[in-house]
Protein backbone atom coordinates (compact mmCIF):
# COMPACT_ATOMS: atom_id res chain seq x y z
CA UNK A 1 0.00 0.00 0.00
CA UNK A 2 1.37 3.39 -0.93
CA UNK A 3 1.09 6.56 1.08
CA UNK A 4 -1.29 9.36 0.07
CA UNK A 5 1.69 11.29 -1.22
CA UNK A 6 2.68 8.41 -3.50
CA UNK A 7 -0.93 7.96 -4.61
CA UNK A 8 -1.38 11.61 -5.56
CA UNK A 9 1.96 11.59 -7.31
CA UNK A 10 1.20 8.50 -9.39
CA UNK A 11 -2.33 9.73 -10.15
CA UNK A 12 -0.98 13.04 -11.37
CA UNK A 13 1.60 11.33 -13.53
CA UNK A 14 -1.01 9.04 -15.06
CA UNK A 15 -3.20 11.99 -15.98
CA UNK A 16 -0.36 13.56 -17.90
CA UNK A 17 0.07 10.41 -19.99
CA UNK A 18 3.07 9.21 -17.96
CA UNK A 19 3.79 5.50 -18.45
CA UNK A 20 6.21 3.53 -16.27
CA UNK A 21 6.18 0.71 -18.80
CA UNK A 22 7.09 3.04 -21.63
CA UNK A 23 9.89 4.62 -19.63
CA UNK A 24 11.29 1.23 -18.61
CA UNK A 25 11.24 0.10 -22.23
CA UNK A 26 12.91 3.33 -23.31
CA UNK A 27 15.62 2.90 -20.65
CA UNK A 28 16.17 -0.70 -21.69
CA UNK A 29 16.64 0.39 -25.30
CA UNK A 30 19.14 3.04 -24.25
CA UNK A 31 21.08 0.50 -22.21
CA UNK A 32 21.11 -1.92 -25.12
CA UNK A 33 22.33 0.83 -27.45
CA UNK A 34 25.54 1.22 -25.49
CA UNK A 35 27.44 -1.81 -24.19
CA UNK A 36 27.22 -2.04 -20.43
CA UNK A 37 30.42 -2.45 -18.48
CA UNK A 38 29.82 -4.23 -15.19
CA UNK A 39 30.56 -2.36 -12.02
CA UNK A 40 33.34 -4.57 -10.79
CA UNK A 41 35.26 -6.65 -13.27
CA UNK A 42 36.75 -4.10 -15.64
CA UNK A 43 40.40 -3.55 -16.42
CA UNK A 44 40.14 0.17 -15.61
CA UNK A 45 38.80 -0.41 -12.10
CA UNK A 46 41.14 -3.32 -11.41
CA UNK A 47 44.12 -1.21 -12.43
CA UNK A 48 43.22 1.42 -9.82
CA UNK A 49 43.77 -1.00 -6.90
CA UNK A 50 41.73 1.20 -4.58
CA UNK A 51 38.19 0.85 -3.33
CA UNK A 52 37.78 4.59 -2.78
CA UNK A 53 35.77 6.73 -5.17
CA UNK A 54 36.56 10.45 -4.49
CA UNK A 55 33.07 11.52 -5.58
CA UNK A 56 31.52 9.16 -3.04
CA UNK A 57 33.77 10.56 -0.31
CA UNK A 58 32.45 14.06 -0.99
CA UNK A 59 28.84 12.87 -0.64
CA UNK A 60 29.39 11.25 2.74
CA UNK A 61 31.70 13.96 4.03
CA UNK A 62 28.80 16.41 3.83
CA UNK A 63 26.57 13.99 5.80
CA UNK A 64 29.08 12.95 8.46
CA UNK A 65 27.33 14.74 11.33
CA UNK A 66 23.89 13.30 10.51
CA UNK A 67 24.41 9.57 11.03
CA UNK A 68 22.49 9.34 14.31
CA UNK A 69 19.44 11.36 13.28
CA UNK A 70 16.93 8.49 13.15
CA UNK A 71 14.42 10.65 11.24
CA UNK A 72 16.97 12.14 8.84
CA UNK A 73 18.89 11.08 5.75
CA UNK A 74 19.91 7.72 7.26
CA UNK A 75 16.50 6.73 8.64
CA UNK A 76 16.26 3.76 6.24
CA UNK A 77 19.64 2.46 7.47
CA UNK A 78 18.54 2.71 11.10
CA UNK A 79 15.43 0.70 10.20
CA UNK A 80 17.50 -1.87 8.29
CA UNK A 81 19.12 -2.96 11.56
CA UNK A 82 15.92 -4.90 12.30
CA UNK A 83 16.92 -7.25 9.46
CA UNK A 84 20.67 -7.08 9.10
CA UNK A 85 21.64 -7.50 12.78
CA UNK A 86 19.69 -10.80 13.22
CA UNK A 87 20.90 -11.90 9.75
CA UNK A 88 24.53 -11.52 10.82
CA UNK A 89 23.98 -12.90 14.33
CA UNK A 90 22.08 -16.02 13.29
CA UNK A 91 24.43 -16.97 10.47
CA UNK A 92 27.46 -16.56 12.74
CA UNK A 93 25.83 -18.69 15.43
CA UNK A 94 25.31 -21.42 12.84
CA UNK A 95 29.09 -21.55 12.47
CA UNK A 96 30.27 -20.67 15.98
CA UNK A 97 28.36 -22.79 18.47
CA UNK A 98 29.81 -21.34 21.70
CA UNK A 99 27.07 -20.37 24.15
CA UNK A 100 27.36 -16.93 25.80
CA UNK A 101 24.07 -15.97 27.46
CA UNK A 102 23.19 -12.34 26.69
CA UNK A 103 26.30 -11.87 24.52
CA UNK A 104 25.92 -14.46 21.73
CA UNK A 105 28.79 -13.09 19.63
CA UNK A 106 31.32 -12.92 22.48
CA UNK A 107 34.80 -13.96 21.41
CA UNK A 108 34.31 -13.07 17.73
CA UNK A 109 36.19 -10.33 15.90
CA UNK A 110 34.14 -8.49 13.28
CA UNK A 111 35.25 -5.88 10.75
CA UNK A 112 32.60 -3.36 9.69
CA UNK A 113 33.74 -1.93 6.34
CA UNK A 114 32.38 1.52 5.47
CA UNK A 115 30.94 1.82 8.98
CA UNK A 116 29.95 5.48 8.66
CA UNK A 117 28.77 6.68 12.06
CA UNK A 118 28.64 3.18 13.54
CA UNK A 119 24.95 2.40 12.98
CA UNK A 120 25.69 -1.32 12.55
CA UNK A 121 28.96 -1.44 14.49
CA UNK A 122 27.33 -0.62 17.81
CA UNK A 123 24.57 -3.26 17.87
CA UNK A 124 27.10 -5.94 16.90
CA UNK A 125 29.25 -4.79 19.82
CA UNK A 126 26.28 -5.00 22.17
CA UNK A 127 25.90 -8.65 21.12
CA UNK A 128 29.36 -9.26 22.58
CA UNK A 129 31.57 -9.13 19.48
CA UNK A 130 34.81 -7.16 19.31
CA UNK A 131 34.08 -4.89 16.35
CA UNK A 132 36.42 -2.64 14.38
CA UNK A 133 34.65 -0.10 12.21
CA UNK A 134 36.62 1.46 9.35
CA UNK A 135 35.71 4.30 7.01
CA UNK A 136 37.80 6.63 4.83
CA UNK A 137 35.72 9.66 5.90
CA UNK A 138 37.44 10.94 9.04
CA UNK A 139 34.48 13.05 10.14
CA UNK A 140 32.21 9.97 10.07
CA UNK A 141 34.70 8.12 12.28
CA UNK A 142 34.70 11.09 14.65
CA UNK A 143 30.90 10.93 14.85
CA UNK A 144 31.05 7.17 15.50
CA UNK A 145 33.66 7.52 18.25
CA UNK A 146 31.75 10.30 19.99
CA UNK A 147 28.48 8.37 19.95
CA UNK A 148 30.06 5.15 21.26
CA UNK A 149 31.86 7.03 24.03
CA UNK A 150 28.62 7.55 25.96
CA UNK A 151 27.73 3.84 26.07
CA UNK A 152 29.80 2.01 28.73
CA UNK A 153 28.66 -1.35 27.32
CA UNK A 154 30.69 -0.66 24.17
CA UNK A 155 33.98 0.20 25.85
CA UNK A 156 36.62 -2.37 25.05
CA UNK A 157 34.38 -3.94 22.41
CA UNK A 158 33.96 -1.30 19.70
CA UNK A 159 36.78 0.67 18.09
CA UNK A 160 37.13 2.78 14.97
CA UNK A 161 39.83 3.61 12.46
CA UNK A 162 39.84 6.14 9.63
CA UNK A 163 41.30 4.09 6.80
CA UNK A 164 40.45 2.15 3.66
CA UNK A 165 39.99 -1.61 3.43
CA UNK A 166 43.18 -1.98 1.42
CA UNK A 167 45.15 -0.02 4.06
CA UNK A 168 43.83 -2.34 6.78
CA UNK A 169 44.73 -5.37 4.65
CA UNK A 170 48.32 -4.12 4.52
CA UNK A 171 48.32 -3.79 8.32
CA UNK A 172 47.03 -7.35 8.73
CA UNK A 173 49.64 -8.76 6.36
CA UNK A 174 52.47 -6.80 8.01
CA UNK A 175 51.40 -7.86 11.49
CA UNK A 176 50.43 -4.36 12.66
CA UNK A 177 46.81 -5.50 13.02
CA UNK A 178 46.74 -8.20 15.70
CA UNK A 179 44.97 -10.94 13.71
CA UNK A 180 42.46 -11.76 11.01
CA UNK A 181 38.71 -11.41 11.56
CA UNK A 182 35.98 -13.99 12.09
CA UNK A 183 33.58 -11.92 9.96
CA UNK A 184 33.58 -8.95 7.61
CA UNK A 185 30.45 -6.85 7.15
CA UNK A 186 29.90 -4.46 4.22
CA UNK A 187 26.32 -3.21 4.47
CA UNK A 188 25.14 -0.73 1.82
CA UNK A 189 28.78 -0.19 0.82
CA UNK A 190 29.71 -2.04 -2.37
CA UNK A 191 27.48 0.19 -4.53
CA UNK A 192 29.71 3.13 -3.53
CA UNK A 193 33.12 1.55 -4.24
CA UNK A 194 35.50 2.22 -7.10
CA UNK A 195 36.87 -1.32 -7.50
CA UNK A 196 34.97 -4.38 -6.37
CA UNK A 197 37.75 -6.75 -7.43
CA UNK A 198 40.07 -5.07 -4.93
CA UNK A 199 37.29 -5.12 -2.33
CA UNK A 200 36.73 -8.88 -2.66
CA UNK A 201 40.45 -9.65 -2.63
CA UNK A 202 41.05 -7.53 0.48
CA UNK A 203 38.09 -9.14 2.27
CA UNK A 204 39.58 -12.56 1.64
CA UNK A 205 42.92 -11.40 3.05
CA UNK A 206 41.61 -9.97 6.32
CA UNK A 207 39.27 -12.92 7.02
CA UNK A 208 40.22 -16.12 8.74
CA UNK A 209 39.72 -19.31 6.76
CA UNK A 210 36.10 -20.30 7.31
CA UNK A 211 35.24 -16.70 8.17
CA UNK A 212 31.99 -15.07 7.04
CA UNK A 213 31.39 -12.17 4.68
CA UNK A 214 28.07 -10.33 4.94
CA UNK A 215 26.92 -7.91 2.24
CA UNK A 216 23.74 -5.96 1.71
CA UNK A 217 23.45 -3.99 -1.51
CA UNK A 218 21.23 -3.13 -4.49
CA UNK A 219 20.62 -5.15 -7.64
CA UNK A 220 21.06 -3.53 -11.06
CA UNK A 221 17.59 -3.83 -12.60
CA UNK A 222 15.05 -1.50 -14.18
CA UNK A 223 13.00 -1.78 -11.01
CA UNK A 224 15.92 -0.76 -8.79
CA UNK A 225 16.49 2.27 -11.01
CA UNK A 226 12.92 3.55 -10.83
CA UNK A 227 12.26 2.69 -7.20
CA UNK A 228 15.74 2.81 -5.67
CA UNK A 229 16.97 5.93 -7.46
CA UNK A 230 14.13 7.92 -9.05
CA UNK A 231 11.44 7.30 -6.41
CA UNK A 232 13.63 7.04 -3.31
CA UNK A 233 15.89 9.99 -4.10
CA UNK A 234 13.93 12.37 -6.32
CA UNK A 235 10.24 11.77 -5.58
CA UNK A 236 9.89 10.53 -2.00
CA UNK A 237 13.18 11.99 -0.70
CA UNK A 238 13.83 8.94 1.44
CA UNK A 239 17.57 9.43 0.86
CA UNK A 240 19.50 12.46 -0.45
CA UNK A 241 19.44 13.02 -4.21
CA UNK A 242 22.60 11.72 -5.87
CA UNK A 243 23.27 9.08 -3.21
CA UNK A 244 23.35 6.23 -5.74
CA UNK A 245 24.76 5.64 -9.20
CA UNK A 246 22.70 2.91 -10.87
CA UNK A 247 25.64 1.88 -13.05
CA UNK A 248 27.53 0.81 -9.90
CA UNK A 249 24.81 -1.55 -8.67
CA UNK A 250 25.63 -5.25 -8.97
CA UNK A 251 23.41 -8.28 -9.47
CA UNK A 252 23.56 -11.30 -7.14
CA UNK A 253 24.91 -13.41 -10.00
CA UNK A 254 27.76 -10.98 -10.70
CA UNK A 255 28.57 -10.63 -7.00
CA UNK A 256 28.59 -14.39 -6.47
CA UNK A 257 30.91 -14.87 -9.45
CA UNK A 258 33.25 -12.18 -8.11
CA UNK A 259 33.37 -13.67 -4.62
CA UNK A 260 33.90 -17.22 -5.85
CA UNK A 261 36.89 -16.05 -7.90
CA UNK A 262 38.38 -14.74 -4.65
CA UNK A 263 38.01 -17.91 -2.60
CA UNK A 264 34.48 -17.54 -1.20
CA UNK A 265 31.46 -19.82 -1.31
CA UNK A 266 28.11 -18.03 -1.26
CA UNK A 267 25.83 -19.66 1.28
CA UNK A 268 22.68 -17.56 1.15
CA UNK A 269 21.07 -14.72 -0.82
CA UNK A 270 17.77 -13.15 0.24
CA UNK A 271 15.78 -10.20 -1.06
CA UNK A 272 14.93 -7.20 1.11
CA UNK A 273 12.06 -4.74 0.69
CA UNK A 274 11.61 -1.26 2.20
CA UNK A 275 8.11 0.06 2.95
CA UNK A 276 8.19 3.89 2.84
CA UNK A 277 4.81 4.10 4.61
CA UNK A 278 5.75 2.09 7.71
CA UNK A 279 9.46 2.96 7.29
CA UNK A 280 10.36 -0.66 7.87
CA UNK A 281 12.17 -3.49 6.07
CA UNK A 282 11.01 -7.04 5.44
CA UNK A 283 12.43 -10.15 3.79
CA UNK A 284 11.16 -11.05 0.33
CA UNK A 285 11.84 -13.77 -2.22
CA UNK A 286 12.59 -11.14 -4.87
CA UNK A 287 16.13 -9.78 -5.19
CA UNK A 288 15.07 -7.26 -7.84
CA UNK A 289 15.91 -4.27 -5.62
CA UNK A 290 17.78 -4.84 -2.32
CA UNK A 291 19.31 -8.11 -1.18
CA UNK A 292 21.51 -9.60 1.55
CA UNK A 293 24.28 -12.14 0.95
CA UNK A 294 26.31 -14.42 3.22
CA UNK A 295 29.50 -16.05 1.95
CA UNK A 296 32.22 -18.12 3.63
CA UNK A 297 35.93 -17.97 2.88
CA UNK A 298 37.20 -21.34 1.74
CA UNK A 299 40.92 -20.73 1.29
CA UNK A 300 43.80 -18.31 1.69
CA UNK A 301 44.94 -18.96 -1.87
CA UNK A 302 43.40 -16.31 -4.17
CA UNK A 303 45.88 -13.89 -5.71
CA UNK A 304 45.25 -11.22 -8.35
CA UNK A 305 45.66 -12.97 -11.68
CA UNK A 306 46.87 -10.01 -13.75
CA UNK A 307 48.10 -12.19 -16.60
CA UNK A 308 44.73 -13.90 -16.75
CA UNK A 309 42.94 -10.51 -16.67
CA UNK A 310 45.01 -9.20 -19.55
CA UNK A 311 44.33 -12.24 -21.73
CA UNK A 312 40.65 -12.70 -20.91
CA UNK A 313 38.17 -11.15 -23.30
CA UNK A 314 35.64 -8.58 -22.09
CA UNK A 315 32.92 -11.20 -22.14
CA UNK A 316 34.69 -12.87 -19.22
CA UNK A 317 34.23 -9.78 -17.05
CA UNK A 318 30.74 -8.52 -17.71
CA UNK A 319 27.21 -9.75 -17.52
CA UNK A 320 24.03 -8.31 -18.92
CA UNK A 321 21.73 -6.19 -16.77
CA UNK A 322 18.62 -7.90 -15.46
CA UNK A 323 15.20 -6.38 -16.01
Amino acid sequence: MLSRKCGRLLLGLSRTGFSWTALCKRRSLLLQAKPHVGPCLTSTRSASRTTVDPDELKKFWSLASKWWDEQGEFAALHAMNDLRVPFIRDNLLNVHRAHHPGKPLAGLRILDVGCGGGLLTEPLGRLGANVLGIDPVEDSIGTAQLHAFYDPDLRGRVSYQACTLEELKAEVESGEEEQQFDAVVASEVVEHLADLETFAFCCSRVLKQGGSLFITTINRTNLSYWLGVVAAEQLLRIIPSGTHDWEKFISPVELERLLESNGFLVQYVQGMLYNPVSRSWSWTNSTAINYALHAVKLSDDPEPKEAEESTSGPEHHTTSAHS
Side-chain angles (χ1 to χ4, degrees):
M1 187 175 85
L2 293 174
S3 65
R4 292 179 181 177
K5 182 177 179 181
C6 293
R8 287 197 300 268
L9 176 64
L10 294 174
L11 180 60
L13 289 172
S14 65
R15 286 175 177 172
T16 62
F18 179 92
S19 169
W20 286 102
T21 303
L23 276 175
C24 286
K25 287 182 178 178
R26 184 180 303 174
R27 181 167 179 80
S28 296
L29 290 173
L30 288 173
L31 290 172
Q32 291 170 9
K34 64 172 184 176
H36 174 77
V37 178
C40 58
L41 299 174
T42 68
S43 58
T44 301
R45 289 178 187 262
S46 296
S48 69
R49 296 298 180 217
T50 179
T51 58
V52 175
D53 183 332
D55 291 334
E56 298 285 353
L57 288 188
K58 292 177 184 177
K59 295 177 190 176
F60 288 100
W61 203 287
S62 66
L63 298 169
S65 64
K66 301 180 180 180
W67 283 102
W68 287 98
D69 179 359
E70 295 186 23
Q71 305 302 318
E73 287 88 341
F74 297 112
L77 287 183
H78 281 274
M80 190 183 285
N81 277 356
D82 290 342
L83 288 191
R84 58 185 179 175
V85 173
F87 178 72
I88 295 167
R89 178 199 63 203
D90 294 347
N91 278 287
L92 284 176
L93 290 179
N94 285 336
V95 178
H96 305 276
R97 299 289 183 177
H99 183 60
H100 302 279
K103 301 292 182 185
L105 300 186
L108 299 182
R109 296 189 75 234
I110 299 177
L111 175 64
D112 185 5
V113 179
C115 66
L119 273 60
L120 182 55
T121 319
E122 288 195 10
L124 293 175
R126 291 190 187 96
L127 290 174
N130 291 315
V131 192
L132 172 62
I134 64 170
D135 198 289
V137 179
E138 292 183 11
D139 285 7
S140 291
I141 291 296
T143 297
Q145 290 172 328
L146 181 63
H147 193 271
F149 176 79
Y150 293 100
D151 188 342
D153 193 41
L154 298 177
R155 292 173 191 169
R157 287 200 181 97
V158 167
S159 60
Y160 295 99
Q161 187 173 333
C163 69
T164 65
L165 176 58
E166 52 270 28
E167 288 170 343
L168 186 72
K169 177 190 77 77
E171 291 181 14
V172 170
E173 292 180 335
S174 67
E176 293 178 38
E177 177 64 34
E178 54 185 276
Q179 60 184 7
Q180 292 174 305
F181 296 87
D182 298 290
V184 172
V185 177
S187 185
E188 305 307 293
V189 168
V190 299
E191 65 268 25
H192 300 288
L193 300 180
D195 184 353
L196 292 193
E197 181 66 47
T198 297
F199 163 79
F201 175 68
C202 290
C203 284
S204 72
R205 285 304 184 184
V206 301
L207 264 177
K208 297 177 181 178
Q209 189 163 343
S212 291
L213 173 62
F214 298 96
I215 294 173
T216 69
T217 189
I218 311 176
N219 198 349
R220 193 179 64 255
T221 62
N222 279 328
L223 191 60
S224 71
Y225 177 78
W226 292 113
L227 295 184
V229 179
V230 176
E233 296 184 15
Q234 301 169 22
L235 303 181
L236 302 179
R237 307 288 183 181
I238 297 171
I239 53 178
S241 179
T243 298
H244 292 122
D245 177 358
W246 184 85
E247 296 287 343
K248 295 174 75 172
F249 294 174
I250 183 169
S251 73
V253 172
E254 290 172 316
L255 185 54
E256 182 171 358
R257 183 181 302 147
L258 171 67
L259 294 177
E260 288 182 348
S261 71
N262 282 275
F264 289 95
L265 177 64
V266 173
Q267 301 280 311
Y268 188 77
V269 178
Q270 182 70 43
M272 306 165 68
L273 184 65
Y274 182 69
N275 185 327
V277 179
S278 62
R279 296 186 177 183
S280 63
W281 290 86
S282 60
W283 294 113
T284 174
N285 290 329
S286 172
T287 59
I289 308 176
N290 296 79
Y291 63 96
L293 177 147
H294 173 220
V296 172
K297 176 183 173 181
L298 297 180
S299 69
D300 288 300
D301 183 47
E303 292 281 356
K305 299 178 177 61
E306 296 183 6
E308 180 180 320
E309 290 177 0
S310 62
T311 56
S312 298
E315 69 278 1
H316 177 73
H317 299 295
T318 62
T319 60
S320 59
H322 296 267
S323 299

